[in-house]
Amino acid sequence: MSKDFAGIANLRNIALTLRYDGTKYHGWQRQKNAVTVQETLENAISEVIGGQVSVTGCGRTDAGVHAEYYIANFRSDCTIPEERIPFALNSRLPEDIVVRQAREVPWDFHAVFNCKRKEYTYRIHNTEFRDPLFNNRVWWYPQSLDIDAMRLGAAEFIGTHDFSAVRAVGTNVKSTVRTVFSFDIFENYGIINFRVAADGFLYNMVRAMVGTLVYVGVGKIQPSEIADILASKTRSLAGPTVPPQGLYMTNADYDIEL
Amino acid sequence: MSKDFAGIANLRNIALTLRYDGTKYHGWQRQKNAVTVQETLENAISEVIGGQVSVTGCGRTDAGVHAEYYIANFRSDCTIPEERIPFALNSRLPEDIVVRQAREVPWDFHAVFNCKRKEYTYRIHNTEFRDPLFNNRVWWYPQSLDIDAMRLGAAEFIGTHDFSAVRAVGTNVKSTVRTVFSFDIFENYGIINFRVAADGFLYNMVRAMVGTLVYVGVGKIQPSEIADILASKTRSLAGPTVPPQGLYMTNADYDIEL
């Protein structure tokens, strides 16, 4: 029925590929009294196509968190060719949000429900002195970190587990079980990258896992203890939640090519 | 005499190695009604050692221009060991200025007069879409640039020339002759780096040379015309002055090791 309706009204479902600097935003999701990426994008789309539009984003990034790759979709009867949509939107968007691609997708495509795999990368600048040219782009952590130990610890997160021990306390969700597909740690020019992919993440889960691995890196937690911490489902046994400016959404996979 | 004076009063000459994000500053040099890097640094030093201090910087970077490597010196009777000075200053400095090293240098060392070679690097992000994560760090220029042609053009700037054609009109200086030692262009991940070293630079000279090379890159100026443009001493024949956010001081060389 929805397809017929789409056909009659010439409604299109458009998937956007975004990149944004989250420094000045209170995260993705629209909220009262705070500027968010979703609201800023919806306003730009409304200006271009005329009339209200509602955009669905692939994940709820927090205040200060960035996106190198982010998928959002919206439905509209706009007739702008897909290759022109990025230029039309970018001319209305502030410099810290950029639309890199627009693709017409099947009517039932949904940026959250159809996402099979999400990937985040957390970046720590692990050097004696803060680099002012990396402010708001990394978390600066001067203490030496044992990368081999952190890799052993990261491997403990891989698989299907209850991740209650590494999520924000007090958040409500149907299930706290997720599947982590991979968790790689690699270093480039003093920046340690923590790249983790899963079928989904609980609130603050990436930042709590990285905080736990930092505790492993300084010897406060042993890699072998992580399985017990997960089994305990107790947030206080894991490491701290690291700050938002080092976190980037870096991929989102769907059954269709975007 | 100055050496004796230094000996009597225990005065030390301290050279600082800095790195800064110039986005929020009206350049290096102290001025009325605008916050500068020099003033911010002088205030931090004064807080640490007590009493007024005057800092000499190796060059006058403009508003919005950055420094990956910048040398400044000041004279003081402070007794803080040199290895502790960076930490003492960084705890007073804002996040966008960092002192990476302090070295006691000979009494007559002067960050400007003793500088033998300065190096600047200009960075253009040459891609179809702006990258919001590079805002204030590069100049985004979407039009395709011919790197081989720009390299031929850059070679024309090397040597001892009158650089009047590529400096801000109306500035006063004793001599407009400078020696450019090298001018390299290389690309990394879509960023074109223009790295130029000279015995000194006229006001806006790097940005006007890069603007001229961008005109070469799009075919508006032929590489072989640059010698004539320099000989003409006429600013209007060269290319435009490119914006400040792509410019970094990247090196400063002295007879002594810093």
Side-chain angles (χ1 to χ4, degrees):
Chain A
M1 196 194 93
S2 61
K3 271 189 186 169
D4 291 340
F5 178 65
I8 291 166
N10 281 320
L11 274 171
R12 301 156 79 198
N13 189 5
I14 309 282
L16 301 176
T17 307
L18 306 175
R19 205 167 166 116
Y20 58 81
D21 168 5
T23 307
K24 294 181 187 160
Y25 296 95
H26 286 258
W28 165 264
Q29 197 171 35
R30 187 183 270 276
Q31 52 185 275
K32 281 184 187 165
N33 306 320
V35 179
T36 65
V37 179
Q38 182 183 30
E39 175 194 348
T40 307
L41 182 62
E42 286 176 349
N43 292 346
I45 297 174
S46 295
E47 275 185 53
V48 168
I49 67 176
Q52 282 274 307
V53 80
S54 171
V55 174
T56 304
C58 63
R60 294 188 189 179
T61 63
D62 279 339
V65 172
H66 316 294
E68 284 184 0
Y69 185 91
Y70 190 97
I71 300 296
N73 74 294
F74 69 97
R75 290 161 186 183
S76 155
D77 60 357
C78 88
T79 56
I80 306 171
E82 57 184 18
E83 66 276 13
R84 293 301 311 161
I85 292 175
F87 299 96
L89 291 177
N90 289 335
S91 68
R92 266 88 173 178
L93 284 166
E95 285 197 350
D96 45 16
I97 303 176
V98 170
V99 176
R100 297 169 64 85
Q101 184 187 270
R103 283 277 180 276
E104 193 165 344
V105 288
W107 181 251
D108 56 1
F109 176 86
H110 188 286
V112 177
F113 300 143
N114 296 144
C115 188
K116 295 187 305 182
R117 177 186 175 275
K118 283 182 201 173
E119 181 193 273
Y120 281 91
T121 304
Y122 195 88
R123 298 188 170 124
I124 292 179
H125 196 215
N126 189 221
T127 51
E128 186 180 13
F129 291 106
R130 173 194 296 280
D131 187 331
L133 295 160
F134 290 162
N135 281 344
N136 296 325
R137 293 285 175 275
V138 296
W139 180 39
W140 173 57
Y141 188 82
Q143 201 174 335
S144 176
L145 292 168
D146 181 338
I147 292 188
D148 289 335
M150 294 195 296
R151 284 193 178 122
L152 288 174
E156 298 289 323
F157 287 119
I158 297 172
T160 302
H161 306 284
D162 184 318
F163 284 94
S164 300
V166 284
R167 64 160 182 151
V169 174
T171 48
N172 238 326
V173 69
K174 276 184 217 157
S175 165
T176 50
V177 174
R178 295 290 184 275
T179 300
V180 169
F181 303 126
S182 62
F183 205 144
D184 300 315
I185 300 177
F186 54 97
E187 192 170 5
N188 268 330
Y189 299 104
I191 293 176
I192 304 174
N193 297 267
F194 300 74
R195 181 173 289 171
V196 56
D199 58 352
F201 293 94
L202 301 169
Y203 188 58
N204 274 353
M205 178 173 151
V206 178
R207 288 159 60 191
M209 289 193 293
V210 172
T212 304
L213 293 177
V214 167
Y215 267 23
V216 169
V218 296
K220 287 188 188 175
I221 291 178
Q222 295 307 308
S224 58
E225 293 176 66
I226 287 180
D228 290 341
I229 292 171
L230 286 176
S232 77
K233 304 181 193 175
T234 307
R235 177 71 190 88
S236 60
L237 295 182
T241 301
V242 289
Q245 73 271 15
L247 187 59
Y248 297 72
M249 172 163 271
T250 46
N251 225 327
D253 287 345
Y254 298 87
D255 273 325
I256 57 170
E257 280 281 325
L258 290 176
Chain B
M1 195 194 93
S2 61
K3 272 190 185 168
D4 289 340
F5 178 65
I8 290 166
N10 282 321
L11 275 170
R12 302 155 78 198
N13 190 4
I14 309 283
L16 301 176
T17 306
L18 306 176
R19 204 168 167 115
Y20 58 81
D21 168 6
T23 308
K24 294 181 187 159
Y25 296 95
H26 286 257
W28 165 264
Q29 198 172 34
R30 188 183 269 276
Q31 52 186 275
K32 281 184 188 164
N33 306 323
V35 178
T36 65
V37 179
Q38 182 182 31
E39 175 195 348
T40 306
L41 181 62
E42 287 176 347
N43 291 346
I45 298 173
S46 294
E47 276 185 52
V48 169
I49 67 177
Q52 282 274 305
V53 80
S54 171
V55 174
T56 303
C58 63
R60 294 187 188 178
T61 63
D62 278 340
V65 172
H66 316 293
E68 284 184 359
Y69 185 91
Y70 189 97
I71 300 295
N73 74 295
F74 68 98
R75 289 159 187 185
S76 156
D77 60 357
C78 88
T79 56
I80 306 171
E82 58 184 18
E83 67 275 13
R84 293 300 312 161
I85 292 175
F87 299 96
L89 291 177
N90 289 335
S91 68
R92 265 89 174 176
L93 284 166
E95 285 198 350
D96 46 14
I97 303 175
V98 169
V99 176
R100 296 170 64 85
Q101 183 186 270
R103 284 277 180 274
E104 193 163 347
V105 288
W107 181 253
D108 56 1
F109 175 87
H110 188 286
V112 177
F113 300 144
N114 296 145
C115 188
K116 295 188 305 180
R117 177 185 174 278
K118 281 181 203 175
E119 181 193 275
Y120 281 91
T121 303
Y122 194 87
R123 297 188 170 125
I124 292 179
H125 196 216
N126 189 221
T127 51
E128 186 180 13
F129 292 106
R130 172 193 296 280
D131 188 333
L133 295 161
F134 289 162
N135 281 345
N136 297 324
R137 292 285 174 276
V138 297
W139 180 40
W140 173 58
Y141 188 83
Q143 201 175 335
S144 176
L145 293 168
D146 180 338
I147 292 188
D148 289 335
M150 294 195 295
R151 284 193 177 122
L152 288 174
E156 297 290 322
F157 287 119
I158 296 171
T160 303
H161 306 284
D162 185 318
F163 284 95
S164 300
V166 284
R167 66 161 181 149
V169 174
T171 48
N172 238 326
V173 68
K174 276 183 214 156
S175 165
T176 50
V177 174
R178 294 290 183 276
T179 300
V180 169
F181 301 127
S182 62
F183 204 145
D184 300 314
I185 301 177
F186 54 98
E187 192 170 3
N188 268 330
Y189 300 103
I191 293 176
I192 304 173
N193 296 268
F194 299 75
R195 181 173 289 172
V196 56
D199 58 353
F201 294 93
L202 302 169
Y203 187 58
N204 274 354
M205 177 173 152
V206 179
R207 288 161 57 191
M209 288 194 295
V210 172
T212 304
L213 293 177
V214 167
Y215 267 24
V216 169
V218 296
K220 286 188 188 176
I221 292 178
Q222 295 307 307
S224 58
E225 293 176 67
I226 287 180
D228 290 341
I229 291 170
L230 286 176
S232 77
K233 303 182 193 175
T234 307
R235 178 70 189 87
S236 60
L237 295 182
T241 301
V242 289
Q245 74 271 15
L247 187 58
Y248 296 73
M249 171 163 271
T250 45
N251 226 327
D253 287 344
Y254 298 86
D255 274 325
I256 57 170
E257 280 281 326
L258 289 176

